[in-house]
């Protein structure tokens, strides 16, 4: 998404007419610094501390200004150390869009057309690693917590991909973390899509065929009870 | 994730010693109502309005209580109409975990072990629909905005899966929304994984083979310039 800077300064001045003691006066309006994109969405990224009342007033004037300009929506990014500005933004009609540990993204739809704010991430990527050596031995583990602990089952190493992590990288990392074994990604054997898994989000589960590159299993006490290269698949 | 109710009431009483005017007194401590799960995570879901100062004090006492109990982490869910409690939670050491339009989820890691809060969704599911009829005609569209508008290209209908939506359902919905054509899902032809696509999140793109069930194209002015069943794939 390309972006075009509307103002390099902290604010740009506009004028509005206010009535003080029955007398119309012009007073400068502080429009918050923002960038526009090709979809006519305005993005405000607050970085400096500001008094919440002054922020509320500037935000109100700014939203009114952008609405007049025909902008469709406003994104408002507030780092967590500016948390005291969040209530003011909600009072001005913003709702939450997404959050990461260190910031909250709010949004306000301005247009009269149907709301088409892009959705944030909706899925987690979950991998299962089928690590098989030349002797057709498969790497299996037991988990020290959760459902599989109670079932006392041997299972393949599994885990969730991290932010921005490729399926193949997630599989390599999980095998290494759980067993100490280095491995390389060969192919995806199967995948499935399950819903309502975590706070209403979906999981895409990929079974990855992996080839081991090392053969010394290291115990990971915190997460796994045992790691074992054991389940022989002889015909 | 199963959960076990710790307290059915709005709070449970504990005692702590406070020093008032040099004299030690017992005063009741309000522990926030919460549920525990099998991972020793505590979940607090605030529903009623509360004075932010009283909330801050109760949260501080509650966190201290749960830490003594050996709980590993606290989840705190605040609906958007309790936005005035968010600054107090951050002051008490909570950080953001995720947000949806109507609520914010905060989290506080209590344990001295490595932080293992489960990650929220990290991927969007993007679909492309290859809709081909018995004459080997393929449904193609032109977009009225964005990169493809400027390139003046005919392309397959594409779009993002919504929360909880299956790949096959997303493909059917996008074809219907963009062209008015009803279709059924046949199979996934290919998929790919791209990163750093939207606020650092990844996209999983699935090309879906679809069979058309209706044959009258309806224009969708807001999103697409034209929809056309045109590109003949004769040998």
């Amino acid at each position: 998404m390309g972006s075009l800077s509307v103002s390099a300064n902290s604010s740009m001045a506009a004028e509005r007419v206010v009535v003080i003691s029955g007398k119309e006066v012009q007073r400068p309006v502080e429009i918050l610094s923002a960038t526009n994109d090709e979809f006519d969405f305005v993005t405000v990224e607050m970085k400096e501390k500001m008094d919440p009342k002054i922020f509320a007033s500037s935000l109100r004037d700014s939203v009114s200004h952008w609405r007049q300009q025909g902008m469709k929506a406003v994104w408002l990014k507030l780092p967590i150390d500016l948390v005291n500005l969040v209530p003011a933004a909600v009072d001005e009609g913003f709702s939450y869009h997404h959050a990461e540990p260190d910031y909250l993204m709010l949004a306000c739809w301005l247009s009269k057309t149907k709301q088409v704010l892009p959705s944030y991430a909706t899925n987690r990527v979950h991998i299962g690693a089928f690590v098989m050596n030349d002797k057709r031995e498969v790497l299996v583990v037991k988990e020290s917590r959760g459902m599989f602990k109670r079932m006392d089952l041997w299972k393949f190493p599994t885990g969730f991909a991290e932010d921005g992590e490729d399926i193949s990288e997630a599989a390599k990392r999980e095998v290494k973390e759980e067993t100490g074994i280095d491995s390389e990604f060969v192919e995806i054997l199967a995948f499935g899509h399950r819903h309502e898994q975590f706070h209403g989000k979906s999981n895409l589960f990929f079974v990855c065929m992996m080839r081991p590159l090392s053969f010394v299993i290291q115990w990971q006490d915190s997460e796994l009870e045992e790691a074992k290269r054991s389940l022989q698949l002889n015909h």
Side-chain angles (χ1 to χ4, degrees), chain A:
Chain A
M1 202 183 292
S3 74
L4 173 76
S5 181
V6 162
S7 162
N9 305 317
S10 65
S11 67
M12 46 182 210
E15 294 286 330
R16 73 170 179 187
V17 175
V18 291
V19 177
I20 297 177
S21 308
K23 217 169 53 168
E24 281 194 358
V25 295
Q26 299 276 325
R27 81 158 176 78
V29 173
E30 293 292 313
I31 304 299
L32 294 164
S33 177
T35 55
N36 285 13
D37 65 23
E38 63 195 276
F39 300 103
D40 292 334
F41 288 5
V42 178
T43 299
V44 178
E45 196 171 339
M46 295 295 294
K47 287 173 180 167
E48 305 296 330
K49 289 194 190 299
M50 190 186 259
D51 177 83
K53 283 186 185 159
I54 294 172
F55 173 69
S57 164
S58 294
L59 186 61
R60 192 176 314 131
D61 290 346
S62 302
V63 167
S64 164
H65 175 72
W66 294 320
R67 201 186 297 268
Q68 282 167 21
Q69 284 191 324
M71 294 297 159
K72 285 190 181 156
V74 183
W75 294 111
L76 174 62
K77 184 173 182 176
L78 294 177
I80 195 164
D81 61 348
L82 302 187
V83 63
N84 65 330
L85 304 185
V86 175
V90 172
D91 283 347
E92 294 304 322
F94 280 74
S95 55
Y96 305 141
H97 182 266
H98 70 267
E100 293 292 332
D102 58 343
Y103 77 89
L104 176 62
M105 182 71 83
L106 299 105
C108 183
W109 187 249
L110 303 181
S111 168
K112 284 173 183 161
T113 59
K114 187 188 160 206
Q115 204 254 65
V116 290
L117 286 173
S119 68
Y120 200 53
T122 51
N123 280 255
R124 299 201 294 176
V125 166
H126 193 196
I127 63 89
F130 188 84
V131 189
M132 187 165 69
N133 66 14
D134 293 342
K135 298 180 197 165
R136 300 185 71 80
E137 292 171 327
V138 175
L139 186 65
V140 290
V141 299
K142 269 190 189 177
E143 295 203 341
S144 60
R145 57 180 186 176
M147 185 178 64
F148 289 108
K149 156 83 173 168
R150 290 197 303 275
M151 296 166 74
D152 193 35
L153 279 182
W154 289 105
K155 60 184 276 297
F156 304 139
T158 55
F160 288 99
E162 295 171 355
D163 258 336
E165 192 176 41
D166 208 73
I167 295 164
S168 58
E169 292 301 321
K172 271 190 272 189
R173 179 183 50 73
E174 286 290 347
V175 171
K176 180 71 177 176
E177 283 180 8
E178 295 193 356
T179 68
I181 297 284
D182 294 304
S183 61
E184 65 181 5
F185 174 81
V186 181
E187 63 182 329
I188 286 169
L189 298 173
F191 69 92
H193 205 185
R194 292 186 69 188
H195 306 290
E196 291 291 328
Q197 296 295 293
F198 183 63
H199 297 296
K201 300 295 172 179
S202 304
N203 278 355
L204 275 155
F205 181 67
F206 294 90
V207 182
C208 300
M209 179 82 207
M210 309 294 289
R211 181 178 296 123
L213 300 172
S214 69
F215 302 91
V216 181
I217 290 170
Q218 286 156 359
W219 308 93
Q220 190 212 35
D221 289 339
S222 67
E223 198 166 320
L224 293 165
E225 195 182 334
E226 301 176 62
K228 199 172 180 183
R229 196 174 78 250
S230 74
L231 184 61
Q232 291 207 324
L233 290 184
N234 295 327
H235 294 280

